[in-house]
Each structure stands twice: as structure tokens, then as C-alpha cells.
Amino acid sequence: MDRTEHIHALRQVLTRLDPGQAGTTNRFAFGEAALDAQLGGGLARGAIHEVFAPATPAAPAAAGFVTGLVLRAAGAKGHVVWIRQRHAQDETGKLYPQGLAEMGLAPENLTLVLVKDITDVLRAALEAARCKALGAVVIEPWGRSKHLDMTATRRLSLAAGETGVTGFLFRVAAGPEPSAAATRWQVRGYPTRPLAAGAPGFPAFEATLLRHREGLAQTLWHLEWNRDALRFSARPETVETGFAPVPALSGAVAPLLLDGPAASHLGRAG
Amino acid sequence: MRITAVDAAAREKGLYPGMTLADARARVRPLRILEADPDADAVLLEKIADWCDRFSPILTLDGSDGLLLDITGVAHLFGGETGLARDLKRRLHALGFATKIAIAGTALSAHALARYGKGGIVPPGAESEKAAELPVEALEAGGDVTRALRRAGLETLGMLAERPRKPLAARFGSAFTWRLAQILGEGDQPLSPRRPLPVFCAEQRFADPIGLFEDIEAALKTLAQDLCTGLEREDQGGRCFEASFFRADGTVRRIELLSGQPLREPATLLRLLLMRLDALADPVDPGFGFDMIRLAAVAGDSAPPAQALLDGSEADGQAVEDLVNRLAARFGVEAVQRFVPQDSHMPEYAAKAWPAISERAGSGSWYRGEADDPPLRPLFLFSPPQRIEALAEVPEGPPEHFFWRRVRHTVVRVEGPERIAPEWWKSYETRNTRDYFRIEDQTGQRFWVYRDGLYDRDPAPIHWYIHGIFA
């Protein structure tokens, strides 16, 4: 305990000494107290944060997580630019404004940029990161590329640091590579807390903090996005009961499904 | 086979269009023959027209081998009408074309003089005098009318002009006399330009063609400055700009630039132009250099002087608009989109993506969800929806599991059906009623699937589709 306090104090001194780091005192919180406390008040504004979807099926959930972060960083009124590679639309579908609205992001505050390849994504991202008036930029390249290296991410970080625009590098179908991002997350969908009659509940994510500039250890969080309050909260660990798909019609009591989230959560035998 | 066109040398030997090829071969040997290619000729004429744009923006094609230019008020730029005609002739000759030029007070008069007379420049008011010598063919009234005129002893337009017009109109129609009047310079009809006329334009000519990028950039800077000064004087802003690069060898390259809001800031305009040039897949090639560059505002809009609000909110909106302009200049207008709501309950029609620089408004509004509800619409939507193999326990119920992209998903949580009927009041609507389900699989992926049709009403087979994915 003593040690962490020391480190915290030292870190504050460092921030004061290094003007380049001054921007990082400006943070946005997740809204979940425990997580924010661990992050020292949230994530840095005016920086690049990487969010990885480990595989294509996890992409929509990761995009939801990014949307949440965007709203935390930019607020409900901030203007957002979302840069996608055109063929991402074949994989995950088109960004659906009605769905964004129901996540809490007003579609009129969003500008979507669709470009051909990763170099164009980076070009557009740099252009957007240099625009002070934006709340946040989502940069969504698809797959790996040699162009997305340390230099490119550092250039983005610098531009974001100068303007205070927060960038989210949302990466699908790619593994972590060296980058200048402030934090790196890996996100996949997590079973939701069921509502009445076994309906899917609020968007839930399994977010792993893979890397943190200030040296925080890897941690895994189960978070839930609350659209009404525009905040993340820890997903309460409920007793995982599998809901049969047709209880309302059959009227039968739902048995615990072997394939259900309870089973997957506990780890499958064999 | 007949001859469609001859050059000057062939005409001297007595060849003329319409002659059979065998006759011509019998008369002149050796004879160089090229197969007529009207399409290529048309393309060439368009190119020459593009090039002639340097003289006047108001120009139209005249038949398959002529151009009409309205040079009202531009001749002085080229040293008067004589200077312009000489310049035009010299340049076209250098490009390898034989020309016949006529300058007259009306378009038809010039047309008739060039095609049926000797061409040349008609002093103001002297059209009727010059046209008097033209044959009646110059009226282009068709073979029957021309024959009838000749039979009546009317050989030239001068003879026709002396006669009262009323009987002529009664005999040949009012279009005939109107045409005659125009050739005689008594009445005129404005040309309809082949390209939209610019609201404002600025141009720069170079005695020595320029090819270096720095020179082009400097020229564009001056032009942007000139153009914006003009726009500002009229309280206008440009929304559509066009930069035309006239190459010394006669080809013209035009680059279009669209702006989201009226623009008249020289620095911004220059930056957007340079970005646009930089992003071209097929870059502007100076070849042997450009001898003229023109920058024009093709469409404008009134733009009162901007005034920033004290809290800077106006500036923020402006900065976002500028960013949109820059992105649109670099990646194309279609690449930068914004969403507008549409008044439709069909999920695929409930929203539209427009180019961000357009000002189209939507209809209806976004549904933002009720408090304490999870999102009922997916974050991503497939268009078209993707077919899945689904197995439902009861026909009208939700699927129990399904296969999508060769992966088996077991449904763990489900909500539905939400029944969405087609817009039956639209005549082209042929869709089935859909039952949508919000489902979640064993891994925590959330889908929006629907059954296309009702078992007891719609014809089999009834299929399942994934329409979207939730976060």
C-alpha cells in the first residue's frame, strides 16, 4: 500500500516536471469507480487508446465499447469522426445510426469517413486528430499493416496531444504490435445480465487492459454500458442461468443449458 | 462507299464529299484514304471545344465539325477581334487543324459565313451586306426549299432579303424567316453553353508554359486570391469550384472541388485545391507545361461576412465543417458521410447516409430509446440481410440455434418477436412481414435476426436472416 502511494506521488511530481505530460492530467473516467481508481482517474484525453477485437466475431462488441469510451471522452455533445475502411462493412455490416442513437451517441454528431485502405485511414485520422473542435476520433483500420507502426501511431499521438482530441484506434483482425498508444485494451462481448423473460440485457463487455503507459498491470474487467447515464459500470456477477429460448411460448420452466453462459463462464470441461 | 470529307489538297483536285470512292480513285492517284470514324471525330471536337474554353466560357458545338463561341466582351483580351482570330488560327494550325473562322454579330451569321462564305470578320452592323452574297443553301432549309427558291430565281440571301418577309413566312414558315433574320444580323438568339457558366472566374496565362509544381502552386495561390476577392465583393461564397489546366499541347484537365458551405477564404481554398490535386489517383500531368490555368466558382451561394460568437461555439462548428471539406477534398465527396433520419419504420430505410457536405435534411427523428431499456436496434446493420440456417422449436418462435458464416450459435437469451410489416401503401413494396428477435448466443454475441414471412400466410419456404449485430 505504502509503495503504491509513493509511486503515485512520484508520478504526480513527474507530471508537473514534464510539460509534455501535462495533457495527461486531463482525463475522462469510465464511470465505474473501482476501474477509474485503478487508472488514476480514467484514461487520458488528447491521447490514442487502442482497442483490439481479438477476432471478427468480437468486433461489434468492441465497437460498442469504443462507442462508450467515445461518449465518455467527448460527452453527449462532442462531435465525433469515425473513420472506417470500406470493406469492414462487408464483415460487420454498416454502422447503423439508429443503433448508435440507442447507445447514446447522437447520429447528428457523427461524421463517417469511408476510405479504401489503411494508409488512407491513417491520413484521414491525422487530419481529424488535428482538428481541435472534435470530441473524439475513431480510427478503424482492418487487419494488419506495416503502415500501422510505431511511427504512425506516434504521429497520431502527437497530433492528438497537441489538440486534445482523443483518438481510439479500433483494431479488428489484428494482433497487438508495438505502438505509441497510451493504453491498449482487448474487448469481446460478455453475456448480458438478462432482463425479464430472459431478454438480452444491457451491452456487456469483457475488457482486458493489456498495456498501460504508466505501467499498470494487466487486468480484466466485466463492464456494462448504461445508455441512460452514459457510463460504464461493473457488470454484477449474477447467478448465470441459461434461459431456454422459448420459455414464453412453451410455458415450461427453463432448464440450465449445457451450452449456456454459465457453462462457458466456468470453463468447459474437456 | 462514298467520301465523307476531303482536305484542301483533295478539293483542289476536284474531289468533294458525297462522291463515290471509285470515282475519286479513278480521278486521283495515289489517294490516301482513311475510314470515317464519327465517334472519334466527336470526341476530338469535344477536346477542341475544351481547349477553346480558354477564349470564352460560352461555347457550343456547331454540327459535327464546328464550334460557336460567344466572344462578347472577351476579344480585347486577345488584341481585338483580329488578334483573337489570328491567335485562334495560329494555335489550331500548330495543333494540325485547318480552320475557317468567321466573326459576326450573331451566331447564325457567323455560322453561315464560315460554312458558305469566305469567313472573315464582319464589322458591326455589316452582317446583311456580307450575308447578301451567300447562296440560299446557307439557310439550311432542306433540299426542297432550296430547290424551290432557286426555281423562283432567288440565288442569294441578298435577293431574299429584299423581298417582303410576310409572304416568305407564309410560304416557308416563320422559322425560315427567323433564321434569315439572324443570318442578316437582324435578330439574335443566345448560345446555350455546353458547360455550366462560372459565377466567378480568375485565370492566368503564361508566356512560357509552366510545369514545376512550385510554379503551379504559386499560380493557384494568386488565382485563389483573385477569385476570393471577386466573391467577397459580391458577398458570395463558392460551393463548387473548378480548376482548369490548359496544357500547351491542347489538352485540358479539369479538377472539381466541392465545398460544404459557401467558401471564399483564399488560404482554405488553396489548401483544399492542393489536397485535391495531391489525392488524385490520376495526377495532373503538365506534359510540356500549362500555358493557362483558370480557377472558377461554378456554383455560389450568398455568404454574409462571418462573425464569430463570443463563446466560440460558432468557431467549433466552422472547424468541423472545414475538416469535412478537407476530408471530402482528399477522399472524395462520397467518402465523408453524415446520417439523417428518415420517416420509415423499416429498419433499412430509417436512416440515410448523405455526403456530409450536402445540406439535405432528413425527415422524422432518431429514436433514442426508453429509459432502462437496452438498445433495441443493432450497432451494425447488414445490407442486404444475411441468410442464416436457423432451427426454431415452434414455427412462430425464435430460433434455438442457427448457423452463420459456418459457425453454430446457440441462442441463450431472446426477446421477440417484434413484428415489422412492410410499407404496404407503397406500390413497389413486395416484402414479407418480418418477425424480429433480439438474441444472444452462448459466447455473448448479440444478433438481430428475423424470420422473413409468416408460416400460415406466406408461401414456403420461409427463411431466416441476420439483419444486424448488437454491441
Side-chain angles (χ1 to χ4, degrees):
Chain A
M1 268 302 124
D2 204 0
R3 227 178 112 137
T4 47
E5 265 171 42
H6 269 301
I7 291 173
H8 188 66
L10 279 171
R11 218 171 255 149
Q12 281 187 327
V13 171
L14 268 178
T15 345
R16 247 175 283 137
L17 287 177
D18 186 3
Q21 296 266 303
T24 54
T25 49
N26 184 4
R27 291 170 183 276
F28 63 94
F30 275 75
E32 165 59 36
L35 176 54
D36 291 329
Q38 197 195 15
L39 292 168
L43 297 177
R45 280 207 173 86
I48 301 291
H49 302 281
E50 279 183 312
V51 176
F52 281 84
T56 315
F65 181 76
V66 169
T67 310
L69 286 182
V70 159
L71 281 160
R72 293 300 302 177
K77 290 259 154 59
H79 198 93
V80 180
V81 171
W82 191 311
I83 302 156
R84 299 194 90 189
Q85 240 175 296
R86 210 164 265 143
H87 76 257
Q89 299 194 136
D90 304 333
E91 299 284 344
T92 60
K94 291 180 175 169
L95 210 51
Y96 187 46
Q98 194 60 67
L100 282 167
E102 290 205 51
M103 288 292 283
L105 180 66
E108 58 267 26
N109 289 344
L110 183 87
T111 302
L112 177 67
V113 182
L114 291 171
V115 292
K116 190 172 86 259
D117 50 27
I118 289 193
T119 36
D120 277 356
V121 169
L122 288 173
R123 253 188 220 145
L126 209 53
E127 197 67 55
R130 288 192 183 130
C131 178
K132 266 198 182 69
L134 293 185
V137 184
V138 181
I139 306 151
E140 187 188 344
W142 190 275
R144 293 164 178 281
S145 166
K146 63 179 194 309
H147 297 291
L148 208 73
D149 55 3
M150 197 71 186
T151 325
T153 47
R154 180 167 293 151
R155 202 175 287 153
L156 277 174
S157 296
L158 282 175
E162 266 170 40
T163 53
V165 174
T166 316
F168 297 96
L169 188 54
F170 170 35
R171 303 205 51 193
V172 188
E177 289 158 54
S179 86
T183 62
R184 176 180 293 158
W185 299 81
Q186 190 180 66
V187 179
R188 55 162 62 97
Y190 189 69
T192 60
R193 233 166 3 115
L195 302 175
F202 300 105
F205 315 101
E206 181 184 277
T208 319
L209 177 62
L210 291 179
R211 208 178 78 106
H212 192 279
R213 255 285 182 67
E214 287 152 36
L216 286 182
Q218 276 206 14
T219 35
L220 188 147
W221 291 85
H222 290 150
L223 296 169
E224 211 174 60
W225 174 249
N226 183 332
R227 182 255 331 271
D228 301 321
L230 294 183
R231 61 186 280 261
F232 287 98
S233 51
R235 179 192 179 288
E237 291 302 319
T238 48
V239 183
E240 293 288 349
T241 44
F243 277 79
V246 222
L249 285 168
S250 65
V253 175
L256 189 79
L257 280 186
L258 276 178
D259 250 2
S264 66
H265 186 56
L266 296 169
R268 228 160 278 163
Chain B
M1 278 205 275
R2 287 183 181 274
I3 293 176
T4 54
V6 294
D7 68 356
R11 188 164 304 151
E12 237 163 62
K13 296 262 183 200
L15 304 191
Y16 54 90
M19 197 176 191
T20 62
L21 183 60
D23 272 356
R25 278 219 168 105
R27 237 183 257 187
V28 182
R29 257 195 194 273
L31 193 61
R32 188 151 170 261
I33 306 160
L34 291 171
E35 206 169 315
D37 186 351
D39 295 337
D41 285 347
V43 172
L44 180 64
L45 188 67
E46 288 281 349
K47 276 196 179 151
I48 300 175
D50 276 346
W51 175 84
C52 279
D53 209 19
R54 61 168 52 230
F55 294 104
S56 165
I58 309 178
L59 109 166
T60 63
L61 303 187
D62 181 49
S64 60
D65 57 352
L67 292 174
L68 280 172
L69 278 78
D70 187 342
I71 55 163
T72 314
V74 301
H76 69 277
L77 295 173
F78 302 89
E81 287 172 0
T82 334
L84 192 145
R86 201 186 304 129
D87 190 31
L88 182 58
K89 197 175 187 93
R90 184 179 59 77
R91 283 175 187 271
L92 280 173
H93 187 77
L95 295 174
F97 297 106
T99 49
K100 193 156 165 193
I101 297 171
I103 297 179
T106 68
L108 263 187
S109 178
H111 165 91
L113 283 169
R115 288 185 184 272
Y116 301 94
K118 287 200 278 291
I121 300 166
V122 183
E127 282 83 11
S128 54
E129 203 178 303
K130 279 268 182 183
E133 301 148 19
L134 294 178
V136 285
E137 278 82 2
L139 282 166
E140 290 174 1
D144 291 345
V145 176
T146 314
R147 256 194 304 281
L149 289 171
R150 286 204 179 268
R151 207 171 294 144
L154 298 166
E155 300 278 333
T156 65
L157 294 190
M159 292 161 131
L160 262 179
E162 288 162 9
R163 307 190 74 83
R165 298 285 161 83
K166 278 239 171 82
L168 279 178
R171 171 74 174 79
F172 301 110
S174 61
F176 176 84
T177 46
W178 174 230
R179 211 178 154 86
L180 178 64
Q182 286 186 71
I183 293 178
L184 295 172
E186 295 162 9
D188 197 10
Q189 215 169 4
L191 298 181
S192 55
R194 58 196 271 278
R195 301 171 44 76
L197 286 184
V199 189
F200 288 96
C201 84
E203 57 190 41
Q204 210 175 3
R205 288 157 213 275
F206 311 101
D208 279 325
I210 58 166
L212 286 176
F213 186 73
E214 293 79 43
D215 295 343
I216 296 171
E217 194 180 326
L220 284 176
K221 191 173 174 188
T222 322
L223 291 174
Q225 189 71 52
D226 288 357
L227 188 68
C228 291
T229 314
L231 285 167
E232 190 153 12
R233 206 179 296 136
E234 303 277 319
D235 266 355
Q236 293 264 312
R239 302 197 54 140
C240 173
F241 295 91
E242 190 186 67
S244 314
F245 298 89
F246 293 78
R247 248 164 69 163
D249 63 0
T251 50
V252 182
R253 180 76 191 270
R254 290 198 167 88
I255 308 295
E256 201 182 50
L257 178 79
L258 296 176
S259 161
Q261 70 289 110
L263 174 72
R264 60 151 179 261
E265 194 56 49
T268 316
L269 177 59
L270 179 67
R271 196 174 58 220
L272 290 177
L273 269 174
L274 294 178
M275 279 181 91
R276 184 89 180 81
L277 288 178
D278 190 36
L280 286 176
D282 165 25
V284 175
D285 174 19
F288 296 108
F290 300 118
D291 58 0
M292 178 172 141
I293 298 178
R294 172 188 292 158
L295 186 61
V298 183
D301 220 336
S302 69
Q307 193 169 5
L309 295 182
L310 283 175
D311 63 354
S313 59
E314 186 76 356
D316 266 12
Q318 186 60 40
V320 173
E321 296 283 349
D322 284 350
L323 174 69
V324 163
N325 275 348
R326 286 201 298 279
L327 292 171
R330 188 180 277 267
F331 302 106
V333 170
E334 299 294 322
V336 189
Q337 306 178 343
R338 68 188 171 88
F339 296 114
V340 294
Q342 297 287 314
D343 207 0
S344 169
H345 67 273
M346 295 298 285
E348 53 266 62
Y349 297 142
K352 259 204 164 108
W354 287 115
I357 65 168
S358 82
E359 276 182 346
R360 297 184 85 144
S363 54
S365 57
W366 303 110
Y367 172 71
R368 289 173 206 274
E370 302 274 329
D372 294 329
D373 266 356
L376 301 178
R377 291 287 179 269
L379 192 53
F380 293 99
L381 198 74
F382 287 110
S383 73
Q386 304 211 340
R387 207 29 213 284
I388 51 173
E389 292 301 325
L391 191 78
E393 204 169 76
V394 287
E396 298 293 326
E400 195 169 69
H401 58 250
F402 64 90
F403 285 91
W404 181 52
R405 290 180 174 167
R406 278 175 281 168
V407 175
R408 181 190 156 115
H409 299 268
T410 306
V411 176
V412 180
R413 308 196 207 294
V414 65
E415 184 183 62
E418 178 186 351
R419 182 160 292 181
I420 298 183
E423 297 174 315
W424 50 264
W425 56 91
K426 289 184 178 159
S427 55
Y428 51 82
E429 183 64 84
T430 54
R431 261 170 284 234
N432 290 334
T433 294
R434 300 168 179 177
D435 276 349
Y436 278 87
F437 294 90
R438 226 156 51 77
I439 60 179
E440 182 172 333
D441 76 354
Q442 76 281 10
T443 62
Q445 281 182 268
R446 298 171 274 276
F447 301 98
W448 206 36
V449 303
Y450 71 87
R451 194 186 55 242
D452 188 38
L454 309 177
Y455 282 105
D456 50 7
R457 202 181 70 188
D458 296 309
I462 301 274
H463 292 299
W464 284 87
Y465 293 87
I466 279 192
H467 204 166
I469 316 182
F470 290 92

